[in-house]
């Protein structure tokens, strides 16, 4: 047992019992971050702030929400929006935060791709990040169903139907997920449990794991430079702060992160108060009706690119489902699709630079066309964009990075 002595204050008392000073050093004051990074490296902390807002606002909504098909719609659109003081603010904040959260996720993801932050020992950072993307997507979909509006109901019908394409177990799996042969009260309560309990707990666990995976290979930098973190840390601790290439996570780096996060929070509250409509589908203000199908069913904007891949193969539902499945897991294996050992920003890798911006443009096209009716020329544009997306990741990326690797070997 450790030697317990009279404590000189609360910090010393805690340190003798749970080594709080050592923990602070490992996680904050002696966890080193490269100097040569920009504001884009703050997106991780911004996401943590947004997730916290989602949890807090969700708890306030949970006080009045009724997970019952007969009561859910009214509990959201009348009780929360009209009867509860500032209930409209909490609902708008929750909806807008979810939407902005995906905007930041996509920025965070593409910054990682641009700077090659998924390579050279950072594979686990990337994998845990993509697991978070999958979990956030599941959380968003389960939450989209809870208002029990028209789009909630029919989106749940379409998505749960996709599982029916799985060989042998598909039909039984759909019934198991729904808790019934159709989307019903049992489906709503199951998705309520996922949204409120299981998925948030899983997200918190993977966030911890994601930050832990950063501890060993350390954060990448703007130039892909290999830094001897121990050597540079010794310089910093010796007082050579200008010469050192690193800074401590706390207070220097995290204070900059909070500065960036404050700008995003200002943007978030501006959207919440003045432009919340983009996060609330007008069709979803009609109560769910299983006898009345909306003329055009589509998901939220952050799912539109993968939805367009699903329906892009309009001539074959099976091919569409296969392409949809690939599109939703393809980024998970990106470290192995990129065959080059070069860790450098895209602007220093000419072929990769072209590939990167074509991919971004293609995903924007998929997002735009995902909300348009799949008729006439739209169907063919969606098909071409879907094929291009898959080809860019499965064929083009391995080829150009293999050539790059040979040139640099």
């Amino acid at each position: 047992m450790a030697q317990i002595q009279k404590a000189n204050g609360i910090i010393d008392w805690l340190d003798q019992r749970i080594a709080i000073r050592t923990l602070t050093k490992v996680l904050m004051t002696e966890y080193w971050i490269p100097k040569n990074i920009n504001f884009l490296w703050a997106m991780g902390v911004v996401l943590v702030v947004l997730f916290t807002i989602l949890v807090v606002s969700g708890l306030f909504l949970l006080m009045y929400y009724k997970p019952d098909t007969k009561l859910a719609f009214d509990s959201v659109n009348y009780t929360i929006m009209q009867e509860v003081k500032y209930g409209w603010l909490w609902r708008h904040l929750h909806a807008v935060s979810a939407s902005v959260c995906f905007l930041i996720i996509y920025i965070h993801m593409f910054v990682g791709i641009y700077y090659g932050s998924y390579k050279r020992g950072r594979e686990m950072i990337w994998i845990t990040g993509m697991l978070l993307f999958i979990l956030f997507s599941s959380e968003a979909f389960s939450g989209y169903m809870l208002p029990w509006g028209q789009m909630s109901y029919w989106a749940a019908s379409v998505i749960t139907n996709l599982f029916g394409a799985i060989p042998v177990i598909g039909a039984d799996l759909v019934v198991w997920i729904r808790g019934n042969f159709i989307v019903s009260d049992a489906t709503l309560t199951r998705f309520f449990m996922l949204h409120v309990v299981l998925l948030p707990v899983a997200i918190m666990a993977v966030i911890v794991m994601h930050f832990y995976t950063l501890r060993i290979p350390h954060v990448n930098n703007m130039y892909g430079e290999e830094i001897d973190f121990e050597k540079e840390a010794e310089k910093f601790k010796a007082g050579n702060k200008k010469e050192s290439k690193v800074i401590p996570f706390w207070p220097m780096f995290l204070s900059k992160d909070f500065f960036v996060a404050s700008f995003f929070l200002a943007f978030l509250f501006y959207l919440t108060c003045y432009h919340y409509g983009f996060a609330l589908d007008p069709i979803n203000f009609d109560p769910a009706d299983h006898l009345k199908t909306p003329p055009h069913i589509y998901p939220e904007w952050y799912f539109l690119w993968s939805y367009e891949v699903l329906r892009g193969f309009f001539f074959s539902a099976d091919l569409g489902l296969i392409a949809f499945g690939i599109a939703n897991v393809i980024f998970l294996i990106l470290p192995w699709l990129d065959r080059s050992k070069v860790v450098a920003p895209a602007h220093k890798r000419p072929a990769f630079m072209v590939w990167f911006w074509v991919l971004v443009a293609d995903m924007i096209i998929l997002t735009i066309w995902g909300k348009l009716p799949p008729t006439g020329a739209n169907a063919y544009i969606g098909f071409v964009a879907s094929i291009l997306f898959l080809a860019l990741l499965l064929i083009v990326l391995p080829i150009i990075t293999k050539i790059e690797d040979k040139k640099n070997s």
Side-chain angles (χ1 to χ4, degrees):
M1 182 175 174
Q3 184 76 26
I4 303 298
Q5 301 173 350
K6 185 177 180 181
N8 298 317
I10 185 66
I11 299 297
D12 190 43
W13 188 90
L14 289 169
D15 189 51
Q16 291 185 49
R17 287 156 178 82
I18 58 173
I20 193 169
R21 287 194 178 99
T22 303
L23 186 65
T24 303
K25 284 182 180 180
V26 170
L27 296 179
M28 301 182 73
T29 58
E30 292 190 10
Y31 172 47
W32 306 98
I33 306 293
K35 279 183 179 177
N36 56 348
I37 56 177
N38 57 33
F39 74 97
L40 293 170
W41 266 257
M43 296 301 107
V45 170
V46 172
L47 281 170
V48 172
V49 171
L50 284 171
F51 180 64
T52 304
I53 291 172
L54 282 167
V55 170
V56 173
S57 59
L59 287 173
F60 278 101
L61 296 174
L62 188 59
M63 294 177 188
Y64 299 97
Y65 178 74
K66 304 288 192 302
D68 182 293
T69 53
K70 295 178 181 178
L71 303 171
F73 184 83
D74 286 348
S75 71
V76 172
N77 292 286
Y78 293 101
T79 304
I80 291 173
M81 292 293 287
Q82 298 181 33
E83 295 178 1
V84 176
K85 188 173 288 188
Y86 297 109
W88 62 269
L89 177 61
W90 291 110
R91 189 196 180 186
H92 291 172
L93 183 61
H94 197 72
V96 172
S97 294
S99 204
V100 173
C101 190
F102 275 91
L103 173 64
I104 303 301
I105 285 173
Y106 284 124
I107 292 172
H108 195 44
M109 185 172 92
F110 281 104
V111 166
I113 296 173
Y114 187 91
Y115 288 100
S117 299
Y118 51 87
K119 301 164 74 172
R120 194 189 289 162
R122 296 188 176 94
E123 294 88 351
M124 282 305 299
I125 300 172
W126 180 261
I127 290 170
T128 53
M130 292 313 302
L131 286 175
L132 278 172
F133 174 72
I134 293 168
L135 287 170
F136 269 108
S137 298
S138 303
E139 178 76 347
F141 171 68
S142 60
Y144 191 58
M145 185 179 172
L146 299 187
W148 205 243
Q150 269 288 72
M151 199 58 79
S152 298
Y153 178 88
W154 288 101
S157 298
V158 171
I159 296 299
T160 52
N161 259 334
L162 295 179
F163 292 94
I166 298 174
V168 183
I169 64 169
D172 292 332
L173 187 61
V174 171
V175 175
W176 181 76
I177 291 170
R178 291 176 174 174
N180 202 331
F181 293 101
I182 60 170
V183 174
S184 63
D185 188 71
T187 320
L188 178 62
T189 53
R190 289 179 184 212
F191 278 79
F192 175 74
M193 180 278 295
L194 286 172
H195 188 73
V196 173
V197 180
L198 187 59
L199 289 171
V201 170
I203 287 171
M204 290 175 196
V206 180
I207 285 174
V208 171
M209 188 177 176
H210 187 58
F211 278 102
Y212 174 73
T213 58
L214 283 164
R215 190 67 180 83
I216 304 302
H218 289 277
V219 177
N220 191 21
N221 56 81
M222 289 174 62
Y223 310 114
E225 180 184 0
E226 272 199 77
I227 297 174
D228 187 335
F229 281 86
E230 290 185 8
K231 181 181 175 182
E232 297 302 322
E234 289 303 319
K235 285 183 185 177
F236 188 94
K237 287 189 281 187
N240 298 327
K241 296 182 180 180
K242 288 186 178 180
E243 292 180 17
S244 177
K245 295 180 180 180
V246 298
I247 55 174
F249 181 72
W250 174 264
M252 293 185 175
F253 179 75
L254 204 54
S255 61
K256 293 178 180 180
D257 275 7
F258 287 148
F259 180 74
V260 175
S262 66
F263 278 94
F264 276 98
L265 286 175
F267 174 64
L268 173 72
F269 283 106
Y270 170 73
L271 291 177
T272 299
C273 295
Y274 297 103
H275 296 285
Y276 53 84
F278 80 96
L280 297 167
D281 196 316
I283 298 174
N284 225 28
F285 284 93
D286 296 327
D289 185 352
H290 67 279
L291 298 176
K292 183 181 179 183
T293 308
H296 180 41
I297 300 170
Y298 52 84
E300 287 293 288
W301 71 267
Y302 36 83
F303 295 142
L304 286 172
W305 67 272
S306 59
Y307 177 65
E308 183 61 18
V309 172
L310 170 69
R311 68 177 197 176
F313 294 81
F314 57 89
F315 50 86
S316 172
D318 291 338
L319 282 176
L321 283 168
I322 293 169
F324 177 75
I326 293 171
N328 281 279
V329 299
I330 191 75
F331 284 110
L332 199 64
I333 60 170
L334 189 66
W336 293 275
L337 293 173
D338 188 336
R339 306 292 182 84
S340 175
K341 295 183 180 67
V342 176
V343 180
H347 58 264
K348 291 188 177 180
R349 304 168 63 190
F352 184 84
M353 177 77 162
V354 174
W355 173 88
F356 176 84
W357 288 113
V358 171
L359 176 67
V360 171
D362 187 55
M363 289 187 71
I364 291 172
I365 290 170
L366 286 168
T367 299
I368 294 170
W369 258 257
K371 199 167 184 176
L372 299 177
T375 55
N378 289 345
Y380 291 96
I381 293 171
F383 172 65
V384 172
S386 301
I387 289 289
L388 179 59
F389 173 80
L390 296 173
L392 282 169
L393 285 157
L394 292 173
I395 301 171
V396 179
L397 179 61
I399 291 173
I400 63 170
T401 52
K402 187 68 175 177
I403 294 170
E404 181 183 75
D405 191 51
K406 285 182 179 178
K407 285 182 179 179
N408 289 278
S409 60

